[in-house]
Amino acid sequence: MTSSECVEGSVNVLGEGMPHLSELNGVDKATDKLVHVFGAMARGFSEGMRRRLFDEQEGLTRALIRARENAERALSDSEAKFEEIFSTSSVGMAISDLDGGLIRSNRALAEILAHRRGKVSALRLEEIFHPDDADYLRLRYQVLLDEDSLPFRERRRLLRADGEEALVFLSASVLRAPDGTPTYYVTSAEDVSDKHFLEGQLQFQAIHDVLTGLVNRHRFMGRLEETLGGKNKVEEITVFHLDLDGFRAINNGLGRDAGDRLLQTVATRLREVFEGETATIARFDGDEFGVLLENSPTTPSPASLAVRINDELAEPVYIDDEGIATTATIAVVHKPKPDTSPAELLRATDTTLQRLKQTGRRQWGTVDVEQNEQDRSRFALAGSMPGAWENGDFGIEYQPLVSLKDKSIVAMQALLGWDHTEQGRLDHERCLEVLAETGLSLPIGRWMLNQSCHQLRSWTDRFNGGLPKLYVELTKELAGDPDLVSAVQAVLTDACLSPDQLRLGMPVQALCMTDGLAEDNLEVLKDLGIGVVLYAFGTTRGDLACLEDLPVSAVKMSGLVVSRVDRQGEESLFVKSIRQLVPLVRESGTPVIVGDIETEAQLDWWRDAGADTVQGDFVGTAGSPQDTEHLFVA
C-alpha cells in the first residue's frame, strides 16, 4: 500500500473511529494525542516513500553505472577484436574516407602490394588500382555510395610497388552511422595470384602434353573441328599423322630418359619445320604426333613437307655421347571434306599408318579412301570374331588336292569358313586375313586341327582304305607355338590317326623368323613322320634358303604368284622367273603344289611349268564333309 490515497483513507478511518473508543475515556488531551499519532503515521509513510524512491534511484543509478561499464568493456573488447582481426588477417584490408583518402591498411595488404615494412605507402585508394581498372573502380565505388547497393566482389588487378600486377578478389562496402549517413569505405583484397597461376597450369596441362609442351590429342581434335566446320573454319587444310619408327627400341635399349629426350627433340624439330606456317602441332599418345596445317599460297606441298620432316628427324641428337635419331611413318590428308568429323579423319589416318608401316620405315602416303574402307571392314570383322567364335559360327570345309600325273586326290585340305550374319559365308582366305588382326590364331587353329583330324577318323571308320591324307595349313602364330608338337600328338592320339595320315603346312614367313621356334617344330614333326609343306612360297626373300635348309616334303606356291602369272604375259620377267623356279625346286626332290586354279588355261600353264599337284575350284570345289566325300570314294 504505497499510494497517497491509502494514507488519506487510513487517516479518515482512524480519525472517525478512534475518538469513540472506550479505551480513550478519561485520557487527558486524547484528541491532541490522536492528531500527533496521525501526523507521525503520515510522516512515517512519507519517509518510507522517500526512502523507497531513493533506493529505487540508487538501484537505477547502480544499474546505469554497470550498464555503462559493460558497454565500455564490450566496446573495448570489440575494438580489441577488430584490431586483432584487422592486423592479423591474411586478407588485405583498407579503410578510406568517402573521397578515397587512405586512412588505414593492414599488413596483409602491404604484403600483397609488396610494400616494405608492412605498411602501404599510397595516400589514396585509387593509387593501388591497376591503371586499366582505375576508372571502372572509381565508378563502382561511387555507385556503391549513391545507390546504397550491396557490397561487390570482383576479380581485379592491383598495382604492386615493383610495378607488377597482383590478382585479387576485391570486395568493398560502405560503413554508415546509426542514422544511415555513409562515413567510410571498407575494402578487402584476397590474393589469388597463386591460385590463378595454379588454374593456369591445370588449364595448360588439360590441353597440352607435359613432356613436350605441344597440345594434346583432345585440343588437336577441338582445333580440327573448328577448322573443318566451326567458327574458325579454314578453306584448305592438311593433316599429318606421324608414328615414330623404332621408338620402342630406343626406349628399351637406352632407357626411358633417352626416349623422353628424343620425344622433346622431335617436338622441337616439328616446330622448326612448320615455322612461319599457321600450324597446330600435337603429341597424341606415346610416339604419335599430329600436325594441322592451315594452307596458304606459299605453303609447300604435302610431299615436300613429309620428306622434310623425315630429313629433320633423321639428324642425330647426342644423349650421353650416344647419337640417336628416328624417322617417322606419315599419313597425310590433304583438303579433307568439310563434313568430315575429326574422329573419322584421324581414324582414317591411323588405318593408313598401319598399312604404311607394313611396307617398311620412313614411309609416307595419303589416305586412300577405298583401301581404308577395306581395312575398316576387316577390322570390324576382327572385332566381331571373338563373339562369332563363342557362338559357334565357324565351320570347316574340305577341298581336294589333285595330282596332275594321274588326276587322283592326294589330300583333302581343311578350310575355315565363317557364317557371318551380315556378309554371308566368308571363305578360308578371308577368315585368315581377319584372324591375323586378332589373338585367336592359336585357339581357332588348334580347334581346326582337332576337328579335321576327327573328321578323317570318321571317314576312315566308314570307308575301306585308299583315303587321301589330311592337309591343314597352320597360321604363322600356330607354326611357332612352343606347344605345337604336343598339341599335334594329343590330337592324333585322340583321333586314333597315324602321323603319316597328316600333312601340315607352315608359312615361309614363320620359318624365316629369327626366333627359330617354327623351324624347331618342323624338325620334330618331321621326325614324328608328319610331312610338312612350305606354303606361301615364291613371294618371300629367303624362300630358296628355307627350302635348302629345312626338311620339307613339298612347297605350295603363293596365291599371289598364281594370280600374277595369270595376269601377265609370257614376256614378263616375273613369269619367266617362275618358269625357272618350279623346275629348280623339283630338281631338289621337292614336289610343287599350286592352289587357286580356276581355269583350264591356268591348269595347262602350271602343268607345263612342272607342277605336281593342283588345287582350286576348277579341279574340285570346297564343301562340307558330306558334300566332298564322294570325291575320294568310288
Side-chain angles (χ1 to χ4, degrees):
M1 301 298 184
T2 59
S3 65
S4 58
E5 289 81 6
C6 289
V7 178
E8 182 181 4
S10 297
V11 171
N12 289 336
V13 170
L14 295 176
E16 292 177 359
M18 289 187 72
H20 302 290
L21 291 175
S22 58
E23 289 87 349
L24 296 179
N25 293 332
V27 176
D28 185 33
K29 298 180 180 180
T31 301
D32 294 337
K33 290 181 179 180
L34 285 175
V35 172
H36 180 76
V37 169
F38 293 154
M41 185 185 71
R43 184 176 64 252
F45 185 88
S46 176
E47 181 64 20
M49 288 297 294
R50 186 188 66 77
R51 288 181 179 177
R52 182 184 177 193
L53 180 60
F54 177 79
D55 290 343
E56 288 178 351
Q57 289 178 342
E58 182 68 19
L60 180 60
T61 299
R62 285 196 297 270
L64 289 175
I65 291 173
R66 285 196 301 271
R68 179 180 177 182
E69 289 175 349
N70 290 338
E72 290 177 349
R73 187 161 48 251
L75 179 61
S76 177
D77 291 344
S78 177
E79 289 178 349
K81 290 178 180 178
F82 170 78
E83 183 64 30
E84 178 70 17
I85 293 172
F86 188 86
S87 301
T88 62
S89 174
S90 61
V91 176
M93 302 180 69
I95 300 175
S96 57
D97 58 32
L98 300 181
D99 292 328
L102 200 58
I103 298 175
R104 190 177 179 191
S105 62
N106 66 353
R107 179 180 294 275
L109 184 62
E111 292 176 353
I112 292 173
L113 300 177
H115 287 264
R116 296 180 178 179
R117 299 179 182 178
K119 184 177 181 180
V120 176
S121 58
L123 299 178
R124 298 186 57 78
L125 189 63
E126 62 185 31
E127 293 178 19
I128 68 174
F129 297 154
H130 192 278
D132 294 342
D133 293 341
D135 292 339
Y136 166 78
L137 288 174
R138 277 194 295 268
L139 178 62
R140 194 72 178 84
Y141 273 77
Q142 188 62 41
V143 170
L144 186 65
L145 179 64
D146 294 345
E147 299 181 3
D148 194 20
S149 59
L150 294 175
F152 71 85
R153 187 171 188 264
E154 297 181 4
R155 195 167 181 166
R156 290 291 162 186
R157 293 172 296 171
L158 301 182
L159 191 63
R160 290 162 47 99
D162 55 10
E164 297 295 329
E165 299 177 2
L167 191 65
V168 300
F169 272 122
L170 192 69
S171 303
S173 59
V174 177
L175 188 64
R176 299 180 181 275
D179 60 359
T181 302
T183 56
Y184 304 106
Y185 288 121
V186 179
T187 302
S188 65
E190 180 185 355
D191 189 4
V192 293
S193 298
D194 292 341
K195 180 181 178 182
H196 177 69
F197 175 73
L198 181 59
E199 289 175 352
Q201 279 191 319
L202 293 175
Q203 184 178 10
F204 180 87
Q205 292 177 7
I207 61 174
H208 287 78
D209 172 57
V210 177
L211 179 64
T212 62
L214 301 176
V215 300
N216 59 17
R217 187 186 188 95
H218 178 74
R219 178 54 182 153
F220 188 87
M221 294 282 280
R223 285 287 299 124
L224 195 54
E225 185 175 10
E226 292 173 4
T227 56
L228 284 171
K231 60 182 180 180
N232 297 321
K233 182 178 179 180
V234 178
E235 291 298 324
E236 184 180 309
I237 66 172
T238 302
V239 176
F240 298 83
H241 189 169
L242 290 73
D243 190 351
L244 301 185
D245 300 323
F247 181 73
R248 181 178 298 179
I250 294 174
N251 252 359
N252 294 340
L254 300 178
R256 292 192 175 274
D257 289 342
D260 290 346
R261 287 280 302 278
L262 183 60
L263 290 174
Q264 292 170 336
T265 301
V266 169
T268 300
R269 291 181 179 177
L270 287 177
R271 291 190 186 101
E272 293 172 354
V273 169
F274 292 95
E275 187 177 5
E277 300 286 344
T278 304
T280 301
I281 306 173
R283 180 191 175 200
F284 292 163
D285 304 301
D287 58 350
E288 290 188 36
F289 293 80
V291 180
L292 168 59
L293 178 63
E294 301 177 23
N295 296 316
S296 68
T298 59
T299 299
S301 67
S304 61
L305 286 171
V307 171
R308 185 181 172 193
I309 288 172
N310 267 319
D311 288 344
E312 291 293 330
L313 296 185
E315 281 293 322
V317 55
Y318 286 87
I319 301 174
D320 297 332
D321 297 328
E322 294 285 348
I324 62 174
T326 186
T327 56
T329 300
I330 307 172
V332 181
V333 179
H334 186 52
K335 299 181 182 179
K337 295 179 180 179
D339 58 349
T340 306
S341 70
E344 181 183 355
L345 191 150
L346 288 185
R347 186 164 58 246
T349 57
D350 192 59
T351 303
T352 301
L353 276 178
Q354 294 183 47
R355 185 169 62 253
L356 290 172
K357 290 184 81 69
Q358 294 176 359
T359 62
R361 298 185 176 186
R362 197 168 179 169
Q363 304 292 314
W364 79 272
T366 57
V367 169
D368 186 331
V369 177
E370 183 177 350
Q371 183 63 47
N372 272 11
E373 286 299 325
Q374 296 177 9
D375 292 340
R376 191 173 301 175
S377 174
R378 185 173 74 255
F379 295 148
L381 285 173
S384 63
M385 183 171 275
W389 167 242
E390 184 175 352
N391 294 333
D393 295 338
F394 288 91
I396 300 177
E397 296 179 332
Y398 298 87
Q399 188 173 32
L401 276 67
V402 179
S403 170
L404 284 174
K405 181 179 181 181
D406 57 10
K407 298 183 180 179
S408 63
I409 297 177
V410 297
M412 294 293 288
Q413 180 178 352
L415 301 174
L416 188 64
W418 179 4
D419 290 320
H420 195 271
T421 55
E422 297 179 359
Q423 300 190 26
R425 184 71 173 180
L426 302 181
D427 62 16
H428 182 73
E429 293 299 325
R430 185 63 169 157
C431 287
L432 292 185
E433 181 184 349
V434 176
L435 194 61
E437 304 293 340
T438 72
L440 296 175
S441 287
L442 291 181
I444 291 182
R446 289 176 178 175
W447 169 82
M448 186 177 174
L449 180 63
N450 182 70
Q451 291 291 106
S452 58
C453 283
H454 279 82
Q455 180 58 51
L456 181 60
R457 177 73 261 168
S458 174
W459 282 332
T460 303
D461 292 340
R462 292 171 56 201
F463 306 108
N464 294 324
L467 288 176
K469 298 179 185 299
L470 174 66
Y471 174 51
V472 181
E473 290 184 348
L474 307 178
T475 62
K476 180 176 64 175
E477 293 77 13
L478 187 55
D481 181 16
D483 297 325
L484 173 63
V485 173
S486 60
V488 171
Q489 288 179 309
V491 168
L492 290 176
T493 301
D494 189 51
C496 299
L497 296 178
S498 61
D500 62 349
Q501 291 180 274
L502 177 65
R503 299 179 78 180
L504 295 177
M506 285 191 175
V508 177
Q509 294 89 338
L511 293 168
C512 290
M513 296 179 69
T514 56
D515 56 24
L517 290 177
E519 185 176 339
D520 293 341
N521 287 335
L522 187 153
E523 297 280 358
V524 177
L525 292 172
K526 181 68 175 178
D527 292 341
L528 293 175
I530 300 173
V532 177
V533 176
L534 189 62
Y535 77 89
F537 191 82
T539 58
T540 305
R541 184 174 58 188
D543 286 357
L544 292 176
C546 286
L547 177 61
E548 186 176 26
D549 297 340
L550 302 175
V552 297
S553 58
V555 299
K556 185 179 180 183
M557 303 301 295
S558 168
L560 296 176
V561 172
V562 177
S563 61
R564 185 168 179 176
V565 166
D566 188 50
R567 291 194 311 268
Q568 297 180 337
E570 288 294 331
E571 298 303 319
S572 165
L573 183 62
F574 178 80
V575 174
K576 290 180 179 179
S577 67
I578 296 299
R579 275 200 177 274
Q580 296 173 357
L581 177 62
V582 174
L584 187 63
V585 172
R586 296 186 76 245
E587 286 178 7
S588 68
T590 307
V592 176
I593 305 171
V594 181
D596 300 319
I597 300 298
E598 299 177 353
T599 66
E600 186 175 0
Q602 286 180 310
L603 181 67
D604 293 338
W605 193 95
W606 284 102
R607 180 189 289 114
D608 294 341
D612 297 279
T613 305
V614 292
Q615 174 194 20
D617 290 345
F618 183 74
V619 295
T621 59
S624 66
Q626 296 75 22
D627 294 337
T628 55
E629 62 185 25
H630 70 279
L631 295 174
F632 53 86
V633 179

